[in-house]
Amino acid sequence: MDTRHSSHIGFRLMAVHAHPADESSKGAATLARYACQGATVMVCTMTGGERGDVLNPAMNRPEIRANLTQLRRQEMHTAAQILGVEHRFLGFTDSGLPADGQSLPEGCFALAPLTDTTAALVEAMREFRPHVVVTYDENGGYPHPDHIKTNQTTVAAFAACADEHRYPGAGDPWQPLKLYYTCAYSKSYFQAIYQAMTTAGLDSPHGMVLEQWDDDQPTWKITTQIHCADYFPIRHRALLAHETQIDPNGPALSCPVELEMTTWPTEDYHLARSQVTPTLPENNLFAGIQLSAPTALHGSDQNPHRERPDMKPPVPQHCSRPAGE
């Protein structure tokens, strides 16, 4: 794995997700790359995944199902360590995925008032002070009620975070500078992986995905591609840490990592909001953001976007710091 270097020390990146395992299936290699390059990275998970199913047949046992909530928290902790990121649960309850005609359960995240969910995320943002925030698109990446609510919450928190009159009890105001939507699993991605696997003589479940693809579903233009193929093995390990959710022999992991690294070596994003003037397309989530030289922070700090020496992150497990650093 790449040796750790300091090209992004001082920058802070926050990814906001709905459930444990979402962070490892959508943008995980990006998180690992920036953590290895010195940025401080935090994943905020809105729910604990309490109403999820056991999706790995090898783990589908009564004692596992009975303890699923605690197991998913343990899995999330392990995945965060693998990726080299900080993590925070925001305390809402998984909504599940109701069948057609079924109602959402009372007290779930998707039914929580937007002001309540936004307040929780604003507090996390003001404490962590991200320069860049990543979440799902307005369709949730796919129309799961918790993913859609996560988008709505993140967009609202991004807008409110710097306003001292909004959520005054949630910490000092802070202005995140860029908000991205993940563009994981585009049609082009599935086409490329299907072609690569079939050319290599491998059976590919991606053909079925393409057969069922709805060309009328909302899409967002890819503005930013992060080259992070070297971190795909880390992403793979983080996914496997979610043992109750990931079947190692299932279709999600059917493409060999080495083949995916050469076929689609990026993770892709749409720049949805920006407080800095962007130059598109981009290959860096922090493009256009300037940090001043590191200095000690004081209450009268006039440039909160300077590097914070007190937040230099620990070296992630998948990195090694150069001698003398």
Side-chain angles (χ1 to χ4, degrees):
M1 180 51 59
D2 289 350
T3 299
R4 165 139 177 178
H5 57 92
S6 59
S7 64
H8 286 100
I9 284 180
F11 289 96
R12 296 181 295 280
L13 170 63
M14 174 181 283
V16 186
H17 287 283
H19 315 103
D22 287 331
E23 84 297 328
S24 295
S25 62
K26 304 167 189 68
T30 299
L31 304 185
R33 172 190 155 172
Y34 282 118
C36 197
Q37 291 178 346
T40 308
V41 182
M42 173 174 280
V43 171
C44 286
T45 308
M46 299 303 301
T47 81
E50 298 86 354
R51 289 191 170 94
D53 297 320
V54 178
L55 302 179
N56 180 358
M59 297 287 287
N60 194 5
R61 305 189 299 272
E63 67 273 19
I64 297 296
R65 295 193 295 273
N67 196 34
L68 185 60
T69 297
Q70 184 58 36
L71 285 172
R72 294 200 70 178
R73 296 182 77 88
Q74 293 172 359
E75 290 169 352
M76 183 65 244
H77 176 73
T78 301
Q81 289 186 314
I82 291 169
L83 295 173
V85 305
E86 300 178 18
H87 178 258
R88 179 169 176 170
F89 279 112
L90 293 193
F92 296 93
T93 301
D94 186 2
S95 305
L97 188 58
D100 290 343
Q102 287 186 333
S103 300
L104 289 164
E106 183 178 354
C108 72
F109 172 54
L111 294 181
L114 185 59
T115 52
D116 291 353
T117 63
T118 303
L121 186 54
V122 165
E123 182 176 1
M125 284 184 177
R126 288 176 176 173
E127 179 180 326
F128 181 67
R129 307 196 307 170
H131 301 99
V132 172
V133 180
V134 175
T135 194
Y136 317 122
D137 61 49
E138 284 125 30
N139 195 45
Y142 76 105
H144 188 297
D146 284 343
H147 287 233
I148 293 171
K149 189 60 168 277
T150 297
N151 166 270
Q152 295 168 347
T153 298
T154 308
V155 170
F158 186 89
C161 196
D163 188 341
E164 63 182 347
H165 301 293
R166 301 181 67 185
Y167 307 102
D172 295 333
W174 170 258
Q175 179 62 71
L177 297 177
K178 300 172 86 175
L179 172 65
Y180 287 92
Y181 295 163
T182 58
C183 294
Y185 311 123
S186 64
K187 185 177 183 179
S188 296
Y189 166 84
F190 283 114
Q191 289 172 328
I193 296 298
Y194 174 74
Q195 181 64 45
M197 290 184 69
T198 54
T199 299
L202 302 172
D203 291 331
S204 173
H206 303 82
M208 184 176 297
V209 174
L210 291 168
E211 289 175 6
Q212 299 172 353
W213 194 268
D214 179 6
D215 285 320
D216 293 327
Q217 65 183 309
T219 59
W220 279 261
K221 180 180 179 181
I222 293 172
T223 62
T224 310
Q225 293 189 296
I226 305 302
H227 288 264
C228 49
D230 286 347
Y231 300 89
F232 286 7
I234 302 301
R235 180 177 70 185
H236 188 84
R237 284 178 53 209
L239 270 170
L240 290 176
H242 294 280
E243 293 181 279
T244 63
Q245 303 302 297
I246 302 298
D247 178 0
N249 300 310
L253 298 180
S254 60
C255 182
V257 174
E258 296 80 4
L259 183 59
E260 190 173 10
M261 289 171 67
T262 57
T263 302
W264 198 275
T266 64
E267 290 182 335
D268 306 330
Y269 300 87
H270 171 79
L271 179 60
R273 307 280 192 281
S274 184
Q275 297 292 322
V276 299
T277 303
T279 301
L280 302 178
E282 303 172 311
N283 60 10
N284 181 6
L285 297 183
F286 297 107
I289 299 175
Q290 299 294 323
L291 299 181
S292 50
T295 62
L297 291 175
H298 301 285
S300 59
D301 180 32
Q302 297 300 305
N303 182 9
H305 290 282
R306 73 172 90 244
E307 179 182 329
R308 286 183 57 177
D310 61 311
M311 291 190 68
K312 187 171 182 178
V315 181
Q317 291 181 358
H318 57 273
C319 303
S320 60
R321 195 184 298 277
E325 184 176 309

